[in-house]
Structures are given as C-alpha cells and as structure tokens.
Amino acid sequence: MTAPALGKDLTGLEHMTPEQIRLILDTAEPFKEVSERPIKKVPALRGKTIVNLFFEASTRTRVSFEFAEKRLSADTVNVAATGSSVSKGETLVDTARNLEAMRIDMVVIRHPSSGAAEFLGDRIASNVINAGDGKHEHPTQALLDLLTIRDKHGRIEGLKVCLVGDVLHSRVARSNLWGLSKLGAEVAVCGPWTLMPRGIEELGVTVFGRIEEAIEWADVLNVLRLQLERMEKGFIPSLREYYRVFGVTPERLERSPKPITIMHPGPMNRGVEIDSRVADGPHSVILDQVTNGVAVRMAVLYLLAGGRAELADAAKRGSE
Amino acid sequence: MSTEIRTQILDARAMSRALQRMAVEIVELAHGTGDLVLIGIQRRGVELAERIAKLIEQQEGAPALIPRGALDITLYRDDLGTVGPNPVIGETHIPGDLTDKHAVIVDDVLYTGRTVRAALDELADFGRPKRISLCVLVDRGGRELPIQADIVGKSVKTGPGDRVDVQVEELDGRDQVDVIR
C-alpha cells in the first residue's frame, strides 16, 4: 500500500491536492486522543531533532508546534530572531545551514517575508514547515480551521464559509481560501473595500460589502484579526467605526435564521472585529481551533518525518 | 507472478470453538473476571476481543461486564524510518486506569512479536497493570523478540514468505483463517 506522500516540505495549501489535505485531516483524528491520555506522549518521532525558527512574534503557533513536537517525542530547539545571530546580520540560508550542520531533521519557520519557507525548503535537506510567511500562507492554521469545521458540521463540501475582515493582509485568509475551495466549500469574504484583495471575485469567491449580508448567507464565519497597525496606515478610519460597521455582534447574528459557527484564528481584539458575547457564545469554536491545532501539527510532523522519497522503496518489508 | 496456494486452517465452526476455549482459558488465567480488561489490537484484534468479552459474559452470567479497549500501536512502532508512515491510524481507547488490572492483549496473529512489544510499551503509558497476558487466535512462529502468548487459538508453522489471512464476520463478512504460501 502506497500512501499519497506529502513531499519534503509543507509550504502552503495552494499547490496541494484535495487528497493530500484530507490525508492530513484524517491523520489528525487519532492524534487528538494522544493529548487526552494521562501520559501525553507517543514515541513516533523519537530521535528526530526539530528547530522552531521564529523571525516574528508568536505565542499560539509556536507553543502549539512545540507541544505537537514534544508529544511525538521529538527533541526541539527554539530560535527567535532577536537574541540570535540573525540580529548580527546572518542570512536566513546561513542560519539554516549552520543548524543543519548540527544534524537536525526538520525546521518550522515563521518569517515576515512571503515565500521564505519555500525559499528555505529549496536550499536545505531538512523538512521545512511553514508557520506563516509574510502575507503568503499559514497552512497549518488553515488545516486546523478545516478540521474544526469538519468536526462541527461533519463535512466541508457544500458549506458556506465567509472570511470576515482584513483579507488583504491575511496569510490565514489566503490559506483558508485554498483549502476550503479545494475541499468543495463555498467561500465568501466580507470587509471594507480597502482590505479586500483586488480581483478576488475572479477566484470564484463571493464578496459581501455588508456584514449583514454575510451573516444571512453563511454557515460559518471565520473572523480575522484586524491588525491594528492597519488603522495607522489609513485602511480603516477608526476601531470604533470598524466595530460599528463590521463587528460580529449577537444582535447581528440573531437576524440569521440558523446558528452560525464562529471561528477566529486569534489573537482576538474583543470589541473590534468580534463582540465578547459572540466569542464566548454557544456557537463559538475558537478554543476547539486551538485544541485541534496541536493534533493537526502532530499529523503534519508525523507524515513529513516518515514520508521522505528516498525511504519509499524501503516500504517493501510489509507491515508485520 | 507465482501462483499462491491458500490453505484453510480454521473454518467458521473451528474458529468459534477456538474462541470459546480461549474465553474459558482467560477466566481461568485471571482467576475470575474481577480485574479483567480485554485490549484488542487494531484492526482485527479489536473484533476478536469484543467477541471473547461477550463469550465470557455469557458463560459467567449477567453481572460480569468485561471492560474492553482498543489499541493502535502505529505510533509505537520501531520502524517509522524504514517503512514510512501508516496514515491509517485506528482508534485507541482504554477503559479507565489500568493500574492493578489484569490486562489481556488480544490480537489475531502473533508473528515477529514486534507488534506486542509496541503494545506493551503503549499500555505502560496508561498505568501499571498488575499483570499483562497475551491471547492470540493464531501463533505462526517466527519470533524476533522473546515474547510468547499465554493463550493460543491455533498454532501453525509458517515460513517468512507466507501470509496468514484472518477474516472476521464483522469486517470481512465471514469467519475464516487461511495460510497463503
């Protein structure tokens, strides 16, 4: 039996097949149970060394990756841009090659430049996992969003999912658009025109200018974080006005004939893009997203660790 | 492609008798059913454990409900680096803390012993059973580790190129064990 391989790296969902995405989601299922055990650890990646290379601030994603790695028994090292040789002007490739010279197996990278993960993956032999690169992609976030939607609704195909807010600058939105459309969801976006990417309709995505329209249409709202620095750059007039026009509030959701699943990739600006009563409400799956994040990352690490092409022919030994 | 020779070693009735006897032997080995927990190894071990548990419940009468669990040992294998990942990881479900229980591992075929080695490691992460026993439907020899079964449905001599094909009603539509040479 040959498993559909993922290849060496996970840099984005754009070039993945629906089968590869489903393989990751299906593999994540049994990993959820590992985190519920009294001893939250399995030896699957024992002896593998993984470097978490974070050139941007991150708590949730970094901790989630680190838990995933540790629960698979890998050895992990965290490298942050500040306080490392990066602040002395070393290039990305030199940093990674030096790490490789210490015999590592995988690199999880977050970087402010779009394409950084792929760039690195093409230049080092270790597996590379993109933990967010500029405005490009954040594939594991989209995968955990997909898993959470599938858990809640039992399917992804045919569901109406609307991404709300700063779609223009969001790598989470980009990865979600790829993943959702590959798995057959209907996708829409909603937000101020200044934060909508030009020509997005051409991808078959519906665009709503008013949050009320989006709420009437959607089964799922994935509310993106409004990056506060956008206000200073003039994309929106004020946070208060944004909340008044686009904030997801209980009053607005009440108008919908059906309950709408509420998602948010975090960190939330309560009272800006999302009202606290919605974030903590009965249809919010925001904390399920966080729980699923660990399982999805375990699945990705596990599949990449064993899925190297040069090992494929060793599979002839069979399963017993 | 060389022709395969398929030899039946258990038919449905023989398999039923074997399971019946294994159920009796498990109760004898455990001195009753008080601390007994049956743990089936994915895939077919889980079905066999379920059947044996039902047989024990029948023979011991109403109050004896036997806790049963399922174990997938994929993440405890020692050969991820050589055979690649198995994407189909089954459910692992352990009924409560195993500390001070008598856990009986149930599997369809015992061969190299590596699956059982992995299962022992995995069970240790769920508590400290007072005893772990091994119960298999077919022992085909060929051990690579010092592991033996406590209870065996059928022993058969096989070579390294042979396959033992266990079919169970729940998954395969019939009960039958064949050796394929």
Side-chain angles (χ1 to χ4, degrees), chain A residues 23 37 41 43-44 306 311 314 319, chain B residues 75-77 81-82 85 87 122 126:
Chain A
L23 170 68
R37 296 183 184 189
K41 212 175 180 64
L311 295 176
S319 66
Chain B
L75 301 172
Y76 284 73
R77 294 185 73 99
T82 50
E122 186 160 13
F126 285 94

Side-chain angles (χ1 to χ4, degrees), chain A residues 22 25-26 29 145-161 179-180 183-186 217-220 258-259 261 263:
Chain A
R22 279 192 210 101
L25 300 184
D26 292 345
E29 276 311 321
D145 290 342
L146 292 169
L147 184 64
T148 309
I149 293 172
R150 203 174 73 168
D151 283 353
K152 176 85 178 170
H153 292 270
R155 68 194 162 99
I156 289 166
E157 200 175 351
L159 278 180
K160 294 173 173 168
V161 183
L180 286 164
L183 296 195
E186 288 183 56
W217 174 85
D219 299 306
V220 178
K258 55 184 185 283
T261 302
M263 305 174 74

Side-chain angles (χ1 to χ4, degrees), chain A residues 2 17 33 49 76 85 117 234 239 250 266 268 282 296 312:
Chain A
T2 47
T17 64
E33 182 268 332
T49 308
T76 67
S85 54
L239 294 182
M268 281 186 277
V296 153

Side-chain angles (χ1 to χ4, degrees), chain A residues 14 174 177-178 181 187 197-206:
Chain A
E14 180 177 358
R174 213 166 301 271
L177 288 173
W178 292 119
S181 50
V187 191
R198 255 179 229 167
I200 190 165
E201 302 92 334
E202 288 154 30
L203 298 174
V205 174
T206 310

Side-chain angles (χ1 to χ4, degrees), chain A residues 3 23 27 30-31 33 37-39 41-45 302-303 306-307 311 314-315 318-320, chain B residues 74-77 80-87 89-90 92 109 111-112 115 122 124-126 144:
Chain A
L23 170 68
T27 306
F31 281 116
E33 182 268 332
R37 296 183 184 189
I39 295 177
K41 212 175 180 64
V42 293
L45 295 195
Y302 172 71
L303 289 169
L311 295 176
S319 66
E320 187 45 48
Chain B
T74 309
L75 301 172
Y76 284 73
R77 294 185 73 99
L80 175 64
T82 50
V83 299
N86 176 4
I89 304 173
T92 291
V109 180
Y111 179 28
T112 61
T115 299
E122 186 160 13
D125 287 348
F126 285 94
E144 295 172 0

Side-chain angles (χ1 to χ4, degrees), chain B residues 9 18 24 46 49 61 70 85 88 100-103 107 129 131 134 142 144-145 153-154 172:
Chain B
I9 59 167
V24 172
V46 177
V88 194
D100 291 332
K101 302 283 185 198
H102 184 155
D107 204 0
R131 183 166 177 189
L134 176 61
E144 295 172 0
L145 296 173
K154 171 93 181 168
D172 313 297

Side-chain angles (χ1 to χ4, degrees), chain A residues 8-320:
Chain A
K8 182 173 88 69
D9 305 325
L10 179 76
T11 56
L13 298 191
E14 180 177 358
H15 300 295
M16 290 180 76
T17 64
E19 290 72 31
Q20 287 174 319
I21 295 172
R22 279 192 210 101
L23 170 68
I24 296 173
L25 300 184
D26 292 345
T27 306
E29 276 311 321
F31 281 116
K32 290 180 188 169
E33 182 268 332
V34 174
S35 294
E36 306 296 331
R37 296 183 184 189
I39 295 177
K40 301 177 186 60
K41 212 175 180 64
V42 293
L45 295 195
R46 203 160 57 95
K48 299 274 182 201
T49 308
I50 305 178
V51 176
N52 300 312
L53 195 53
F54 277 65
F55 293 87
E56 261 185 13
S58 162
T59 307
R60 199 180 334 264
T61 303
R62 188 178 55 73
V63 170
S64 180
F65 265 110
E66 211 177 330
F67 275 139
E69 292 154 2
K70 285 179 162 39
R71 287 177 191 173
L72 290 170
S73 303
D75 296 308
T76 67
V77 177
N78 294 321
V79 180
T82 50
S84 71
S85 54
V86 175
S87 56
K88 297 180 185 169
E90 188 174 60
T91 66
L92 172 61
V93 171
D94 277 336
T95 302
R97 283 194 182 142
N98 276 278
L99 291 168
E100 268 208 319
M102 296 182 225
R103 300 293 175 255
I104 60 167
D105 300 291
M106 293 182 148
V107 177
V108 175
I109 179 175
R110 164 165 294 190
H111 199 280
S113 301
S114 304
E118 192 176 340
F119 176 84
L120 188 65
D122 289 345
R123 282 161 184 79
I124 63 174
S126 306
N127 305 101
V128 173
I129 299 173
N130 183 4
D133 61 334
K135 294 178 216 160
H136 175 235
E137 285 220 41
H138 189 352
T140 57
Q141 176 69 43
L143 289 165
L144 73 89
D145 290 342
L146 292 169
L147 184 64
T148 309
I149 293 172
R150 203 174 73 168
D151 283 353
K152 176 85 178 170
H153 292 270
R155 68 194 162 99
I156 289 166
E157 200 175 351
L159 278 180
K160 294 173 173 168
V161 183
C162 185
L163 303 165
V164 182
D166 187 355
V167 177
L168 180 63
H169 298 96
S170 173
R171 55 195 175 207
V172 174
R174 213 166 301 271
S175 289
N176 258 283
L177 288 173
W178 292 119
L180 286 164
S181 50
K182 279 172 199 277
L183 296 195
E186 288 183 56
V187 191
V189 294
C190 174
W193 290 108
T194 49
L195 294 175
M196 292 296 118
R198 255 179 229 167
I200 190 165
E201 302 92 334
E202 288 154 30
L203 298 174
V205 174
T206 310
V207 181
F208 293 115
R210 295 177 60 238
I211 187 72
E212 290 82 0
E213 295 168 343
I215 286 172
E216 200 181 313
W217 174 85
D219 299 306
V220 178
L221 288 186
N222 196 345
V223 187
L224 303 169
R225 186 171 82 92
L226 188 71
Q227 291 163 311
L228 300 180
E229 59 272 23
R230 307 289 172 232
M231 199 180 76
E232 288 141 34
K233 292 185 181 160
F235 286 100
I236 54 165
S238 79
L239 294 182
R240 256 176 83 179
E241 180 162 341
Y242 185 87
Y243 175 74
R244 201 164 49 73
V245 179
F246 288 101
V248 178
T249 62
E251 293 77 18
R252 290 192 162 124
L253 289 174
E254 266 169 26
R255 303 254 181 87
S256 164
K258 55 184 185 283
I260 298 179
T261 302
I262 302 294
M263 305 174 74
H264 192 299
M268 281 186 277
N269 299 303
R270 288 171 181 264
V272 181
E273 70 265 5
I274 188 164
D275 189 289
S276 269
R277 292 166 293 167
V278 173
D280 307 328
H283 304 298
S284 164
V285 292
I286 293 171
L287 292 176
D288 301 294
Q289 290 175 269
V290 179
T291 306
N292 282 341
V294 177
V296 153
R297 291 178 176 116
M298 287 171 84
V300 168
L301 291 163
Y302 172 71
L303 289 169
L304 289 183
R308 294 190 195 178
E310 69 267 25
L311 295 176
D313 67 337
K316 58 179 171 254
R317 265 206 56 184
S319 66
E320 187 45 48

